[in-house]
Amino acid sequence: MKAILSGSRVSRFPKGSGKRALTVARQIVDDIEQQGAEVGDRLPPEQEMLLRYGVARATLREALRFLELQGIIFLRPGPGGGPVVQEPRPKDFASTMALLLQFLGTTFRSLIEVRQAVGPTMAALAAERASDEDIDKLNTSLATLKTLSVSCDSYAEENRRFHDVLAWASGNPLIGFLISSLHNITNASEVGITYTEGERDYQIKAYGRLLKAIEDRNPDLAFTEMSRFISRSDKYLEARHPDIMSKIVRWQDADDLSVSRVPRRKR
């Protein structure tokens, strides 16, 4: 690991400003970006950061706590610890989203409707942009699904993973975070979605057709295949789990660590 944010920049804030900590947090993020910091890189010692940003210790610590809550850094305890750059996680995006959705009384049906809107475009973009590694991951996930029975928890988990990989294969980070975060919420909420063997067989065949369209770099066909799949899937959920569709999203639903991490692409 390397220390970052070297240099001298002293910030001046208007007296009485209630936004000092947030301003410092933004400056820290800008410095992390400009210096090309990577996951695991350490920020400088506290005294150095106090001089750099020209603020009181309480303000700096509040800024760092804010960044930790946002998932940008984590504060490593003990000797040699301190703020360390963290890999972005869909969990953090999901937490913020679930908190806002709970206050709006949003139901799980809204999450499904977002998937309806985004899914086909996501698949079309994947057909245009997916790397060989993305396609290999999709093939591996599909092969795993074929070995699993709907009676085991691993099927639902691998099913979500296939869609997570597909979302990130779109090459659009916002789509990747959004889809992974939606899965984070539905997974952690223990909504208990189950599939029949017939639905499992349909899903596997549909994924095979979709993956073939992506491998052939055919975005129009990928869009069509995903549209058909989502239409069928949503009707299945409405018929089999109508109670889930009306369930209110809650902040605690985002408290899950099992959803896939952000894939690290070469720069």
Side-chain angles (χ1 to χ4, degrees):
M1 295 187 298
K2 61 183 180 181
I4 59 174
L5 308 185
S6 58
S8 59
R9 174 172 71 181
V10 176
S11 303
R12 299 301 180 204
F13 299 92
K15 290 184 178 180
S17 171
K19 298 183 179 180
R20 293 185 180 183
L22 182 57
T23 300
V24 172
R26 289 170 175 164
Q27 290 180 342
I28 293 172
V29 169
D30 287 344
D31 284 342
I32 290 173
E33 179 186 19
Q34 290 170 10
Q35 298 192 28
E38 298 181 351
V39 174
D41 288 345
R42 291 180 288 107
L43 273 64
E46 182 177 76
Q47 191 59 39
E48 184 177 334
M49 296 183 73
L50 290 173
L51 292 173
R52 179 171 179 77
Y53 299 112
V55 294
R57 180 173 284 104
T59 300
L60 175 62
R61 290 181 176 178
E62 184 179 350
L64 293 174
R65 283 194 297 269
F66 176 79
L67 293 179
E68 185 177 37
L69 288 172
Q70 297 299 313
I72 303 303
I73 64 171
F74 70 93
L75 300 176
R76 178 175 292 163
V84 179
V85 178
Q86 180 170 269
E87 184 176 51
R89 302 171 300 175
K91 175 184 182 297
D92 300 305
F93 188 71
S95 179
T96 299
M97 183 165 58
L99 172 60
L100 298 178
L101 293 178
Q102 178 176 341
F103 268 89
L104 294 174
T106 307
T107 66
F108 275 78
R109 181 173 284 103
S110 295
L111 305 185
I112 300 301
E113 289 172 352
V114 170
R115 188 182 70 158
Q116 289 175 324
V118 176
T121 298
M122 171 183 78
L125 290 175
E128 296 176 349
R129 303 173 180 175
S131 66
D132 291 341
E133 182 181 0
D134 292 328
I135 293 176
D136 286 344
K137 288 180 178 179
L138 287 168
N139 272 304
T140 298
S141 181
L142 180 57
T144 300
L145 283 171
K146 291 178 180 178
T147 68
L148 299 174
S149 168
V150 293
S151 60
C152 66
D153 294 338
S154 298
Y155 180 83
E157 181 179 343
E158 189 63 41
N159 197 2
R160 284 188 292 268
R161 182 176 182 277
F162 181 90
H163 288 274
D164 285 341
V165 173
L166 180 60
W168 288 100
S170 72
N172 185 316
L174 180 55
I175 291 178
F177 270 112
L178 179 60
I179 297 302
S180 293
S181 296
L182 292 178
H183 288 160
N184 188 294
I185 293 172
T186 56
N187 187 37
S189 65
E190 299 181 350
V191 292
I193 294 176
T194 59
Y195 300 103
T196 64
E197 288 292 343
E199 186 65 16
R200 167 195 175 276
D201 293 342
Y202 167 78
Q203 289 177 347
I204 289 175
K205 291 177 182 177
Y207 295 162
R209 292 191 297 268
L210 175 60
L211 185 50
K212 181 64 166 56
I214 292 172
E215 290 175 330
D216 291 344
R217 303 298 180 182
N218 189 332
D220 291 337
L221 182 56
F223 185 98
T224 299
E225 291 292 353
M226 181 57 91
S227 296
R228 289 172 178 167
F229 170 78
I230 288 178
S231 178
R232 155 86 180 235
S233 177
D234 292 349
K235 290 177 181 177
Y236 174 86
L237 291 176
E238 286 282 3
R240 189 174 180 85
H241 299 288
D243 54 325
I244 292 175
M245 295 300 99
S246 59
K247 184 179 184 295
I248 299 294
V249 174
R250 300 184 62 81
W251 189 16
Q252 66 191 40
D253 292 340
D255 187 18
D256 179 68
L257 295 174
S258 64
V259 178
S260 62
R261 299 165 63 188
V262 176
R264 300 183 65 182
R265 295 180 180 269
K266 296 181 180 179
R267 295 189 177 186

